[in-house]
Amino acid sequence: MMAQRGHAVEVFAASQLRQGVFIEDGVTVHLSQPENRDAFADLAGKQFAARHADAPFDVMEGPDYRADARTAASLVPEIPLIVRLHTPRYLVERINMTIARGSIGRRRAVWEALSRGVLPLWDRRHPANRLERRHTLDADEIIAPSASIARIIARDWRIDPSRIQHLPNPYVPSSALLSIPVRTRTNTVAFIGRLESRKGVLDFARAIPLILAQQPKTRFRFVGMPLGSPNTRQKMDVYIQEMLSGSLHAVEFTGHVPFDQIPAVLCETDLCVFPSIWENFPNVCLEAMSAGRGIVGSSSGGMQEMLDGGRVGRLVPPRSPEKIVAAVLELLTNRDDRERLGELARARVLSEYSVDRIGSAQEASFARVAGTKSRRSMRYDS
């Protein structure tokens, strides 16, 4: 987006497949192959500093997650830093642990960890989380793709909310998605994404027999790579198949589907269900909106904003299979309403997440910090 708007953009990233410098869509991409995930920040930071010596940068951006830009920021503290809130580790771990053990089990796990003299990763005092917080506080500007992540980080990390700018990520739907007819009659309901508890996949599974009891011709698809399940010896797809032993005639598991095949999946789908426990900025929801699908999404996190508070799709609270049942049945049995919502959803993607709209806001963010003395430089000078 920024390259298309005339800016020189360079990206420093890791790859398991290749290394070197590449030009992709007008962007210079520096790919490294660190020995492990923890080594990436130092390796990329040194590459960044070397490149800056040859072709000085005006501003740098990195994620809160693992503070990946921390070495670059320490080596060239004079460059203003923007931190974009992807989702810090403590929050991911907290959600996962609550799912696995419940709130009471999580408190018990805290006591067990403290009794061993260690802090659990989801504790904000854990060194990894303190590193992410410190890096974020060092930023000259903090960007939140969703209002939800902005509220959570302001509260948990005790950051002045006025320091966090709400700026959604841009999204450019493919022509393949936009060409899918809004009027479809496949009678298929799909979950698309990694099959993991955090995405609410088990709540969707629990809703299936209840939906079939009232709409027996409905078909369901789980589209995505299966991860772990509550049974540590089983992948999630096997676990769900055992849960749905009486409904397997109506259920299909596709496994991982390449990105370029997602439009074909959506073309065969009437309704998508994304009942995540929490997500920051899920692109899968924007893909379904671009395809004009009916959507039942989670009211917790960025989907609430994407679906405009429920104006272009149905919102259900996390961990509520019965609410999923009600919303799915409503849209399955009221096709005109579902198609109307699909048209509104597609229009919203094109208006709210376009390159023109987000690009100008992103430029304003860079302009606010570019050419100014960074917070880190001022602190080091003192």
Side-chain angles (χ1 to χ4, degrees), residues 12 51 85 99 105 117 128 145 151-152 165 189 191 198 219-220 259 263 270 316 325 353 372 380:
F12 295 78
R51 177 61 176 159
L85 300 176
I99 293 169
R151 289 190 297 268
I152 291 170
Q165 306 297 320
V189 181
F191 171 94
R198 186 160 55 97
R219 293 297 176 262
F220 301 87
F259 178 71
D270 281 348
V316 295
V325 172
Y353 302 99
T372 64
Y380 296 155

Side-chain angles (χ1 to χ4, degrees), residues 103-289:
S103 58
I104 295 176
R106 183 163 65 91
R107 288 194 292 269
R108 183 179 298 114
V110 170
W111 283 110
E112 292 172 354
L114 292 176
S115 68
R116 298 193 304 271
V118 298
L119 288 169
L121 184 56
W122 65 85
D123 192 303
R124 294 191 298 273
R125 296 167 294 172
H126 189 284
N129 300 321
R130 292 171 63 187
L131 174 67
E132 291 177 338
R133 179 179 183 270
R134 180 71 265 168
H135 182 64
T136 301
L137 285 171
D138 272 349
D140 299 280
E141 181 144 309
I142 305 169
I143 291 178
S146 69
S148 177
I149 189 67
R151 289 190 297 268
I152 291 170
I153 294 303
R155 179 196 67 205
D156 289 354
W157 280 353
R158 298 181 178 88
I159 296 177
D160 182 352
S162 66
R163 285 200 59 199
I164 304 177
Q165 306 297 320
H166 179 207
L167 177 56
N169 297 331
Y171 179 75
V172 180
S174 68
S175 58
L177 289 172
L178 295 176
S179 65
I180 296 173
V182 172
R183 296 183 179 276
T184 56
R185 295 290 189 272
T186 68
N187 218 38
T188 298
V189 181
F191 171 94
I192 304 174
R194 293 188 303 273
L195 306 190
E196 59 175 317
S197 297
R198 186 160 55 97
K199 293 185 178 292
V201 66
L202 291 175
D203 295 318
F204 176 52
R206 293 183 182 104
I208 287 175
L210 302 175
I211 296 169
L212 285 172
Q214 298 189 52
Q215 292 291 321
K217 294 183 179 181
T218 307
R219 293 297 176 262
F220 301 87
R221 301 181 84 183
F222 290 83
V223 181
M225 178 186 300
L227 300 186
S229 76
N231 183 339
T232 56
R233 296 186 301 272
Q234 291 179 324
K235 290 290 189 179
M236 186 63 83
D237 55 344
V238 176
Y239 185 85
I240 292 175
Q241 287 175 42
E242 291 189 359
M243 281 179 59
L244 299 177
S245 58
S247 306
L248 290 180
H249 65 282
V251 179
E252 176 188 3
F253 293 84
T254 70
H256 170 71
V257 172
F259 178 71
D260 60 359
Q261 295 179 25
I262 292 298
V265 170
L266 288 168
C267 191
E268 298 171 354
T269 301
D270 281 348
L271 183 61
C272 292
V273 179
F274 306 125
S276 299
I277 308 303
W278 186 88
E279 284 195 80
N280 181 5
F281 195 86
N283 268 13
V284 67
C285 184
L286 295 175
E287 291 165 5
M289 292 170 68

Side-chain angles (χ1 to χ4, degrees), residues 72-102:
S74 67
L75 293 175
V76 283
E78 69 274 11
I79 303 178
L81 169 68
I82 292 176
V83 168
R84 187 179 298 268
L85 300 176
H86 289 240
T87 300
R89 294 174 73 184
Y90 87 88
L91 185 54
V92 174
E93 292 298 323
R94 177 194 293 173
I95 294 169
N96 287 339
M97 179 53 65
T98 300
I99 293 169
R101 303 183 64 163

